[in-house]
Amino acid sequence: MDMAPSAHPATTTALPTVNRRRVATTAALASAVEWYDYFVFGIAAALVLGDLYFPAGSSTAGVLAAFATFAVGFLARPIGGIVAGQLGDKRGRKPMLVLALTLMGVATTGIGLLPTYDTIGVAAPILLVLLRVVQGVAVGAQWGGAMLLATEYAPEGKRGVYGSFVQLGVPIGVVTANTVFLLAGAFTTDAEFAAWGWRLPFLVGLFVLVLAWYIHRHVEETPEFRQAERELAEKEKTEQNSPLRTILREHLGTVFLAGGSFAVNTATFYILITGVLDYTTRDLGMKRDAVLTVSLCVSLTQLVLIPAAAALSDRVGRIRIYAFGAAGIALWAVPMFLLIDTGSLLWLAVGTFVAGCFLSIMYGPQAALFAELFTPEMRYTGASLGYQIAAVLGGGLAPFVMVLLLEATGTSMAVSGYIIALAVIALLSIKVLASRVSSR
């Protein structure tokens, strides 16, 4: 069941180690600042956006509206993946990454400056949704560019480790977003936080533009893309070739299997960082800052677990590690919510920590796994589509579905069932992917 090496092995053995590490570090920073900007919206949606931009109706209706806006960003992510994938496979990984960072910086800053419903009326939620769409397009474009900068510069036998540098952007983004929200809450009263303190984390996201400038000026295109570009130029002398057309015609099944394999990971992740934040503070009466601190600490542990899982996948195979993580999520779904439902901060930490371990085990090898499913000339498009399909099916709807399930059933076990169903889909998808790879 192990993942076979890519059909296009890395061609970076002659590159200086310092250059590889600089590129990998830059890719990780790009991922971290992009995810920071993306995650601050999720935290704000759980805490304040419902009252400020969707004030009519009950508190539950406001939260549902805020989470629906949160989900809109996920629906836009495949658009970013498709457009950036097409251009990234034809024009290069770097320019698409720079564009994605620029879009994210502008959109996030715009949200931080956006007047509320009380100030400009219905225009406020409309503009909020539009800015969230831009965020979704940006993060959909970003992941493939950052991931390929890291993995296509990786030395032989270390693609998993180098790919995990980009995956670390997620817990770094969560830690940073939670930290900034905690600081904003610590230095403001509840009234000040609701009035303007919540805006500060969005304005900090402006620094993403500085990183976009640095990548534009100081990071070179990947060697594997330059080689694929030369081969593509020769092919285009006789025929017009579209990476997206090739993916849709010949590899669509692989794209959907990749998405199906990862939806449980992204759904569980967003349930933990946004759905649980809303559930514990609104339904269980737990303190906002305490829950944010638990989320921050769990994310810190992932900084160790993600690269460890990726390194192990370089030795024993991507699929084996990936499947183990998916199975663990399925088995832990019920115990996790039983612990959360106690209302104890300690048991909340235990429940989310164990879940975070299984998420990290999946997430560590995922970048290299998805990169190796496609050849370089279609890799940006194929890997991005697979990832963004998972984001739509899992992450975008998960907090919204969680609130609906809790309201409809009155029990968190319904949310556990939702996670288990996605885990079964993941394991079936992984099994088919493994059989396809082993038959190559």
Side-chain angles (χ1 to χ4, degrees), residues 245-254 378:
R245 190 181 301 119
T246 302
I247 288 291
L248 295 178
R249 186 175 61 242
E250 301 177 13
H251 303 282
L252 188 58
T254 300
M378 66 183 77

Side-chain angles (χ1 to χ4, degrees), residues 339-365:
L339 293 174
I340 292 172
D341 284 345
T342 64
S344 161
L345 199 63
L346 173 62
W347 291 123
L348 169 68
V350 172
T352 55
F353 168 73
V354 175
C357 290
F358 290 123
L359 292 178
S360 300
I361 290 170
M362 279 193 80
Y363 202 55

